[in-house]
Structures are given as C-alpha cells and as structure tokens.
Amino acid sequence: MTATQSPADSTAPAAPAAGTAPANSRSRVILASLVGTTIEFYDFYAYATAAVLVFPILFFPTGNETTALLSSFAVFGAAMVARPIGAIVFGHFGDKYGRKATLVASLLTMGIATFLIGLLPTHEQIGWFAALFLLILRLAQGFALGGEWSGAALVATENAPKGKRAWYGTFPQLGAPIGFIIANGVFLAINLLSPSREWFFEWGWRVPFLFSAVMVIVGLWVRLKLVESSTFTKAAEKGAIRKLPLGTAFKHNWRELILGTFIMLATYVLFYLMTNFTLSYGTKAADLEAASAAAQATAEASGQPFDADAFAAAFYPGLGFTYPDFVMMQIIGVVFFGVFTLLSGPIADAIGRRRLLIWVTVAIIVFGLTFNLFLMPQLDPKFTGALTQAFLIFGFVLMGSTFGPMGAILPELFPTNVRYTGSAVAYNVSSILGAAVAPLIAVALWAAADGQPWPVGIYLSVMGVLTLVALLISKETKDVDYDDAGVGARGRLAEGEAEAASL
C-alpha cells in the first residue's frame, strides 16, 4: 500500500498493467448490454401484462373489479420499492469489484424469480398465500432490475469510442422496446392459440414466465464472456476504489443523485402510462352492459363469484378494444419507441444530452394536455382506433427520444468509483417517485373522472415540469472526463483523499 492510498484501497481488484487495451470488442459490448436488458425487460413486461389480464382475477378476487386491479398494480409497484435496494447492493459490488459479476447475478436473480412466478398456485388453491408469494417474487424482480440497468449502461458507455457514448448508451435502452415486443407477442400468441378461456387462465398465462428460462441461458452465455472495461481498471490502478461507494456518493455527489432522480422522473411516468395504463384503459369496455357480460364470463372461467350490482356501482368506461387488437396497436407504437431510442443517441452526441432532453421534455408536457383529444371514444369506431393509434405513436416517439439519452446522461453525472452506485440509485429512486405510483395514480384519476383520461394527462405534464426544472439547473455532460476516477484517486486533492479515506 502506497502513502497515497487509503485503507479502503485494499478492496480493489488487481488491475492489469497500465496501457492494456480493452479486450471487449464492439460487437460483444453491444450484444452484452442489449441482450441482458432485453431479457430483464421481457420479464418485467410479462408481469405487467399479467397484472392487467390475469392477476386481478387469479390472485386478487375481491369481487370489485377496480379494487382487484388496484391490488394487482400495488404488487406491480412494490417491485419499484425493491429496486433502490437492488441498486445499492449491486452498485456496491459493481463499484468495488467490477461490473461483470454483478450483471451475471442480476440476470440470474430476475430469471429465477420470473420462472417461479410461472409455477405459482393461485388464490383458489392456497388462498391469500398466493398473493404473498407473488409479492415476494415481484420484489425479487425489482431487486434484480435495480442492479441490471446501470451495469448494462456502464458496460456500453465505458467501452464506447470517443464521441459516441450516447449512441452506445442507447443499446441497453433498446432492450426495453424489444423486451416489450417479445413479452406481449408471446402473451398475444398464447391468448390467440388457447383452446378456451379456462385453459388460458389455468395454464396459458404461465408459458411466458416459464419461457424466460431459455432467454436467461442465452444472456448468461453472452455476459460471461465480458471482461472489465479499461475505465474501471484505471480507477483501480489509481487507488480510487472505495470501501463504501454509497457513502462516497452521498457525501460527494448528493447533488447529482437528486438531479439524476428528477431528470428520469418524466420518462418513468410516460413509460408506465404508455404501457400499463393504456392497456387497462384501451381494453376496458366502453359501456356497462358489455363490461358486465365480459366480467361475468371471466369470473366463471376462473371459478370466482360475480356480483353484478357491485360491479355496476364501481364501473367506469374505457375504449372497448379487444386485447389482441390493442396489443397490436401498442406493438406498432413500440416499434417507433425502438427507432427513436436509437436515433436519439447520435443526436445527443452531436448537440448534447441536456439540450435534446429539454426539448423532448417540453413536448412531453404538451403531450400530457392532449389525452382527451386522442383517447375519448368517437361515434365512428374506426376514428376512435385511428386517434388511439396516433396517440400511441406520438407517446412512444417521445418515450424513445427521452429514454435513449438516459443511458449516457445518468452515468456521466458520476465519477468511475461511484458511477454504478450513483446512476443506479438515481435511476431506481426515480422508479419509486414515477413508475411505482404511476399506475395507481392513473387508475384512481381515471375512476375519479368517470372514465375520462384528461386528469391522467395533467399528472404526466406536472411530472414533466419537475423534470424540466432539473434539466434547466443541471450542466451538460457530453464532454465530461469519463476516466475521472473520483475522490481518493492518486493525483486528486489531498483533502478529498482524506475525506474519502473513512468511506
């Protein structure tokens, strides 16, 4: 140990000789960051779809459709609470020992939890223990995703060529639209191929969860071939690795943690409104008679009692699309999500992340004011369909444009020795403020407005204003030194090293 090292430096892994070239090829970096997040988001979306279609009936049979849906969304949102815990745990090990092992661990955790959801008994079989086990596995999913995103973003950006960090950072982001398309495509295929509603509610819904095991094996094969980036090994060479990265981040980068959390806020709210809320709103019957008939048939298929009077008292309308029709409309929109995720990277590299995100966030605020314009039923069902499809395309274009640059801007807020922890905590605390409560708030606002969606849009606009404020007071990160090892590195200010030595 040299005189410039703190005791914490003894935790650093052995670094390769100075000047060693990074061993990860461009194709390996892109594939490892893309495949892993695709699998993780596939697992997450499989749950999100089942949370609307299956879980309210099989795991939360309250007798009230709204209460059952809210209960299902509450368990969905509970995973967001576990995500910051996952961010802290995986971020700690990722900043202390390297990115590779944490990425493998997060993928395994998510895959095992998702596979076990496909094996769960239902409420009819074991009562409310079914909901408890579902909650536990959902928390495990959230814990895993808490460490996944940041690690994948760091693999991409820490191995990116000069001037292309934002573009490389879009590849882990691309896992979200690809995972959505695969998960919903599998659910759609199972729904269409099911011989009966009874079969779908007994066995069919389990197939997407069990299928995830195949995808996890592929993802592990790719990630096990990774080696650490030169950026991380340089930080180890400089003695910058901290004993407690979380303490260092909160002490020296607390402002960046707050800014990163709110920079991501509007993205999260838009993300879950465009997927969860629109699926609920779009597939709910537009009139009471049709809704009651459908609800009764579903209750009978799942072996649950049906109270027509209670259902009528709690009813509020939607758009009345069938599930297959609306999912196809969503998938069309998600194609635009993927395209604009990729396009946003080169643009952010050219003009800056902050400038691009400011303009996109303004557009999100305006978009939130248009919900009633696009999402109210029209006299002509074809016109309703056209307006809804336009809404989905516009929303997912904005989603890609704001989500793509996040793979670069959040990691760029932090130095190497707390980059995993800092970006993961900001990303996942934002998931609580945004994604965890977005489905619950949206359903409550929708019900309070007797089926009109405009309050949901206002909610999105308000969240957009908070993100805009965070962007306006933040600085551009396009040209930051990504090899900045952080507090405690040799060559940094002595007082910085002294402060960090106890962390």
Side-chain angles (χ1 to χ4, degrees):
M1 185 179 299
T2 67
T4 55
Q5 281 182 289
S6 73
D9 296 333
S10 60
T11 65
T20 300
N24 292 315
S25 66
R26 178 179 301 183
S27 59
R28 183 184 297 175
V29 169
I30 292 173
L31 190 59
S33 59
L34 175 60
V35 168
T37 53
T38 296
I39 294 168
E40 298 272 5
F41 279 107
Y42 166 87
D43 292 346
F44 227 62
Y45 284 132
Y47 184 97
T49 302
V52 175
L53 296 179
V54 177
F55 293 156
I57 298 162
L58 297 184
F59 289 87
F60 306 100
T62 63
N64 182 302
E65 183 185 30
T66 302
T67 304
L69 183 60
L70 285 171
S71 298
S72 182
F73 278 161
V75 174
F76 178 85
M80 308 302 172
V81 179
R83 285 174 64 164
I85 301 174
I88 292 170
V89 172
F90 287 112
H92 173 83
F93 289 104
D95 280 329
K96 193 171 178 181
Y97 300 112
R99 319 321 193 187
K100 176 181 174 178
T102 53
L103 283 172
V104 171
S106 68
L107 185 61
L108 273 174
T109 304
M110 175 66 89
I112 292 170
T114 304
F115 184 81
L116 290 178
I117 288 175
L119 300 177
L120 279 180
T122 64
H123 180 275
E124 185 180 15
Q125 295 166 313
I126 61 171
W128 289 107
F129 281 106
L132 175 62
F133 293 147
L134 180 64
L135 173 62
I136 292 171
L137 293 177
R138 180 61 180 159
L139 290 172
Q141 280 190 319
F143 179 79
L145 194 56
E148 164 61 29
W149 175 85
S150 188
L154 266 57
V155 165
T157 57
E158 288 185 346
N159 288 279
K162 185 177 180 180
K164 293 185 177 181
R165 275 204 307 263
W167 182 55
Y168 267 59
T170 63
F171 287 101
Q173 307 300 79
L174 194 59
I178 294 176
F180 179 94
I181 291 172
I182 297 174
N184 283 277
V186 171
F187 256 106
L188 182 60
I190 296 298
N191 184 270
L192 293 174
L193 296 174
S194 295
S196 64
R197 289 180 64 85
E198 290 80 3
W199 186 88
F200 177 79
F201 277 96
E202 186 173 357
W203 296 108
W205 69 270
R206 300 178 184 274
V207 174
F209 293 95
L210 300 177
F211 174 69
S212 68
V214 178
M215 301 179 66
V216 168
I217 292 171
V218 175
L220 287 174
W221 178 78
V222 173
R223 285 192 167 176
L224 286 171
K225 291 180 174 292
L226 284 173
V227 297
E228 291 299 341
S229 69
S230 62
T231 299
F232 180 81
T233 55
K234 286 177 184 177
E237 289 172 356
K238 294 176 180 178
I241 305 304
R242 300 293 86 201
K243 185 176 181 180
L244 292 175
L246 182 65
T248 303
F250 273 102
K251 187 168 186 177
H252 298 281
N253 302 101
W254 59 269
R255 184 176 182 273
E256 289 78 10
L257 286 169
I258 295 172
L259 286 175
T261 297
F262 282 93
I263 285 172
M264 187 70 198
L265 183 61
T267 303
Y268 260 127
V269 175
L270 177 63
F271 192 48
Y272 285 93
L273 292 186
M274 295 305 300
T275 53
N276 280 56
F277 170 72
T278 58
L279 182 62
S280 300
Y281 181 72
T283 57
K284 189 167 184 180
D287 61 85
L288 176 59
E289 184 177 351
S292 182
Q296 184 172 0
T298 300
E300 291 173 354
S302 60
Q304 303 297 333
F306 178 72
D307 187 334
D309 292 335
F311 180 85
F315 174 76
Y316 47 94
L319 292 176
F321 291 100
T322 65
Y323 168 72
D325 286 345
F326 195 81
V327 168
M328 284 305 302
M329 294 168 70
Q330 279 191 316
I331 289 175
I332 291 171
V334 169
V335 170
F336 286 85
F337 178 9
V339 170
F340 276 81
T341 295
L342 282 178
L343 290 177
S344 68
I347 296 173
D349 279 327
I351 69 172
R353 298 82 162 103
R354 178 176 174 271
R355 182 183 299 179
L356 173 60
L357 287 171
I358 285 174
W359 284 109
V360 174
T361 303
V362 170
I364 290 172
I365 295 169
V366 174
F367 178 70
L369 304 177
T370 68
F371 274 42
N372 261 34
L373 175 64
F374 287 103
L375 293 180
M376 289 298 290
Q378 306 295 319
L379 293 177
D380 184 353
K382 292 183 178 179
F383 189 39
T384 301
L387 285 175
T388 303
Q389 185 66 79
F391 174 86
L392 292 171
I393 290 174
F394 292 156
F396 280 118
V397 164
L398 293 173
M399 186 63 230
S401 301
T402 184
F403 191 58
M406 294 298 168
I409 191 172
L410 294 186
E412 287 170 350
L413 290 172
F414 303 93
T416 303
N417 65 350
V418 295
R419 185 170 292 141
Y420 202 134
T421 299
S423 58
V425 168
Y427 182 86
N428 290 291
V429 169
S430 187
S431 77
I432 296 179
L433 301 179
V437 298
L440 296 172
I441 292 175
V443 170
L445 292 173
W446 172 27
D450 294 325
Q452 293 195 49
W454 65 266
V456 181
I458 296 297
Y459 165 57
L460 173 62
S461 295
V462 171
M463 297 301 102
V465 170
L466 294 177
T467 289
L468 183 61
V469 171
L471 286 167
L472 290 174
I473 63 178
S474 66
K475 297 179 180 179
E476 178 56 58
T477 60
K478 175 176 176 289
D479 298 317
V480 298
D481 178 11
Y482 217 48
D483 285 334
D484 177 7
V487 171
R490 299 186 192 101
R492 296 294 295 267
L493 293 176
E495 59 267 26
E497 295 185 22
E499 283 183 308
S502 62
L503 296 175

